[in-house]
Amino acid sequence: MNHVLCGLAANTALPPELIDRLIAVADADVAADLAGRADLCHAQAVALSSHVEESAVRLAYEGRLTAADIDPAVQPYAALALLYERAGSPEWARLLAADPDSECREKLAACSGLPADVVETLAADSDVRVVAELALWTTPEVAARLAGHPHAEVRRAVAANEATPPGVLAALITGEGLPPAQRCLVCDREATPFVHDPQCPRPDCDLLPGASCDGSHESTVHDMQEAALRNPATPTEAAVGFVDHPSMLLRWALAARPDLPSEVCGQLAVDPIPGVRSSLAENPSIDDALMRVLASDRGHDVQRRLAHNTHVPLDVLIHLAGATKIGATLLPRVAAASPAELEELAQSPNPAARMLLAQRRDLPTEIRDALATDADAKVVKSIAPHPGLSEAQLRAMVHRHGVRVVAKVAANPDATPALLEQLTRHEPSVQKAFREVARHRNATAPALLACLADRQARPIAAGHPALPPPVIVELLTDADWQVAEAAAANPSLPLAVMSDLVPYP
């Protein structure tokens, strides 16, 4: 891979004539970067897709190519991309449905709006993976018909299709009203009973670890039931029958459904498996009383997932802030807090609650400024990237809390050039701060030169347009390919150097 040419291909300052030259000499890696350019004109997109076939698929998906630009016999996967976007010709679908490459037919089966005769052809395909892919994305009518397919893998796909009619999903999940499946991927290949060894040594084996069949296709049936439980179109009355199922995975999937009756939620709240209870804890449909019960559940991840529930009561959330490690994230409940609740969180004696509030980036000025002077470094660290803070406020944070807040101060979008330079000279140094400065829009040449001395910040700094051009040119031959590629992508790279780097066809 030529990393310098890859970087040039992504350089936003590369002029059209050099783009043309680069297209003519591009390999697959360079073409991938060229295909991502926002300024690639239609003629260039056509030239690139003709020169490097792999790029045609991306260009087709992004609407940079039209049906007139693609020959499905020569570029079948680009044609599939246009069909997927419903911009291809129906005749293409008929051609590709007969393609000897099953992977091609499988991708075709995922396209919507296919002609009826093509759907029928795919539904009768000799490769069950093609039929299963069709079942996963097809219309309600076709899904209902495929629910009775003799192969369990097709039924599993029908169960995951949200367009499948509710009555059909109920039949799949309960087994009532449908003839038993005759085959599965396991008994297609192995004599039953068979359990696939998770450490299977066969390099050509693609069965999932633990896949099994004793004649009842049990692992595929289990997967079908799990898919149906996760399908929002499955009727509640059919799903709740799994509340005491011996499979932990099925109860886990059930616990995430937003349509559960309160008595079923109560049963799941005392499930012996913490994962089931944690899935329930994040379910927005559980009531306040159950949330208060789960708030004292010390099972793995239950309290943290409850904290992410969009409807958790504020007092419960404040308790959870001190009881579990939530991390530096904006919780949905905090994001939706009312002005009065913002005041309550800001005045909480629990610094963990104030830290959660400080993750918001749209706080009223008075609350933002109060949190900026908080005595707890974790709160200040959380508020430091908030826009609107003055240079004086940011400097005061660093003065009071030192290395604990330096990196987050450097991430503030309003940090001034002078402050960023000072942060790169901070003693002791903070490695994360160099990375933040290296990507900051206000970083100056002196600050960026300091960042180049840090191994992790060096590739980021190499791509910053404020870096002096002679330094950028020097970095083109850096021993670290990431640095060289970033330098080549730097829009401040001199045009003459760009021209010298792009070979003529």
Side-chain angles (χ1 to χ4, degrees):
M1 180 186 293
N2 188 322
H3 294 289
V4 170
L5 289 186
C6 285
L8 274 177
N11 193 314
T12 57
L14 196 68
E17 59 272 18
L18 290 185
I19 295 176
D20 291 336
R21 272 170 50 188
L22 202 50
I23 288 172
V25 299
D27 59 13
D29 297 310
V30 174
D33 287 299
L34 285 168
R37 294 187 64 91
D39 60 349
L40 201 69
C41 71
H42 179 249
Q44 290 171 328
V46 172
L48 181 61
S49 66
S50 300
H51 182 68
V52 181
E53 185 176 350
E54 297 93 327
S55 65
V57 175
R58 177 176 178 178
L59 291 167
Y61 272 122
E62 294 179 355
R64 315 288 283 278
L65 297 175
T66 68
D69 303 322
I70 299 296
D71 181 349
V74 178
Q75 297 172 303
Y77 286 98
L80 284 167
L82 284 183
L83 284 169
Y84 187 84
E85 297 296 328
R86 306 193 74 162
S89 164
E91 289 306 315
W92 293 1
R94 295 185 176 96
L95 174 69
L96 296 170
D99 195 294
D101 182 359
S102 63
E103 183 181 352
C104 180
R105 303 195 307 276
E106 187 176 349
K107 289 182 179 295
L108 176 65
C111 299
S112 59
L114 295 173
D117 59 308
V118 173
V119 172
E120 292 304 315
T121 299
L122 295 171
D125 199 280
S126 59
D127 191 320
V128 71
R129 293 172 298 182
V130 174
V131 186
E133 191 68 17
L134 177 69
L136 184 60
W137 303 107
T138 194
T139 61
E141 296 76 20
V142 177
R145 181 154 54 90
L146 291 176
H149 196 279
H151 205 288
E153 187 67 16
V154 175
R155 300 186 184 202
R156 180 202 61 75
V158 172
N161 187 339
E162 294 186 13
T164 300
V168 175
L169 289 167
L172 285 169
I173 203 171
T174 62
E176 299 174 1
L178 290 173
Q182 298 173 17
R183 309 191 313 278
C184 69
L185 293 178
V186 179
C187 61
D188 278 349
R189 309 174 194 189
E190 306 289 345
T192 58
F194 178 83
V195 179
H196 187 226
D197 183 356
Q199 307 299 323
C200 178
R202 294 178 293 181
D204 59 339
C205 181
D206 59 359
L207 287 176
L208 294 174
S212 63
C213 181
D214 60 4
S216 65
H217 324 298
E218 64 272 15
S219 65
T220 309
V221 169
H222 180 278
D223 291 347
M224 179 188 68
Q225 292 171 330
E226 183 177 359
L229 286 171
R230 296 190 184 280
N231 192 328
T234 299
T236 306
E237 56 271 20
V240 296
F242 288 79
V243 66
D244 54 1
H245 195 280
S247 168
M248 169 197 73
L249 293 176
L250 297 185
R251 301 196 310 276
W252 201 324
L254 177 65
R257 291 184 63 93
D259 57 353
L260 299 177
S262 57
E263 60 272 18
V264 173
C265 292
Q267 286 180 261
L268 294 170
V270 294
D271 194 280
I273 303 299
V276 175
R277 305 197 305 274
S278 68
S279 181
L280 179 70
E282 199 169 357
N283 191 324
S285 69
I286 62 176
D287 58 30
D288 285 10
L290 192 52
M291 289 188 197
R292 294 183 187 280
V293 171
L294 292 171
S296 59
D297 189 327
R298 301 295 295 174
H300 175 68
D301 217 29
V302 175
Q303 292 177 321
R304 189 191 67 82
R305 295 281 291 275
L306 179 60
H308 283 77
N309 193 304
T310 55
H311 297 147
V312 62
L314 198 62
D315 64 308
V316 173
L317 181 59
I318 291 173
H319 160 74
L320 291 171
T324 188
K325 188 173 182 180
I326 296 173
T329 184
L330 177 59
L331 297 176
R333 181 65 178 83
V334 175
S338 67
E341 290 172 331
L342 294 181
E343 290 285 353
E344 182 179 348
L345 284 167
Q347 295 171 14
S348 171
N350 184 348
R354 303 195 303 275
M355 182 179 72
L356 294 180
L357 173 63
Q359 291 296 326
R360 279 187 59 152
R361 296 294 175 256
D362 59 349
L363 293 173
T365 302
E366 60 276 10
I367 292 179
R368 180 202 67 198
D369 291 348
L371 294 173
T373 60
D374 200 282
D376 192 290
K378 294 190 296 294
V379 177
V380 176
K381 183 178 178 181
S382 295
I383 199 67
H386 197 295
L389 291 167
S390 68
E391 180 175 8
Q393 287 174 306
L394 294 172
R395 287 183 181 276
M397 291 178 185
V398 176
H399 178 73
R400 288 196 309 273
H401 300 288
V403 295
R404 291 174 291 182
V405 302
V406 165
K408 292 298 184 181
V409 168
N412 188 289
D414 299 317
T416 63
L419 176 58
L420 293 173
E421 288 184 23
Q422 178 187 323
L423 295 177
T424 62
R425 298 192 298 268
H426 189 277
E427 292 293 340
S429 62
V430 179
Q431 188 178 48
K432 286 184 179 179
F434 288 110
R435 299 200 293 273
E436 296 294 348
V437 172
R439 62 172 61 95
H440 202 289
R441 64 187 180 189
N442 293 336
T444 61
L448 292 168
L449 291 172
C451 293
L452 287 174
D454 180 83
R455 181 179 60 84
Q456 293 185 11
R458 188 175 176 87
I460 305 170
H464 199 292
L467 202 62
V471 176
I472 301 172
V473 174
E474 184 180 343
L475 293 172
L476 291 171
T477 57
D478 197 272
D480 185 335
W481 68 266
Q482 293 176 299
V483 175
E485 187 169 315
N490 194 317
S492 295
L493 184 67
L495 180 58
V497 177
M498 292 185 191
S499 182
D500 290 341
L501 290 171
V502 180
Y504 285 91

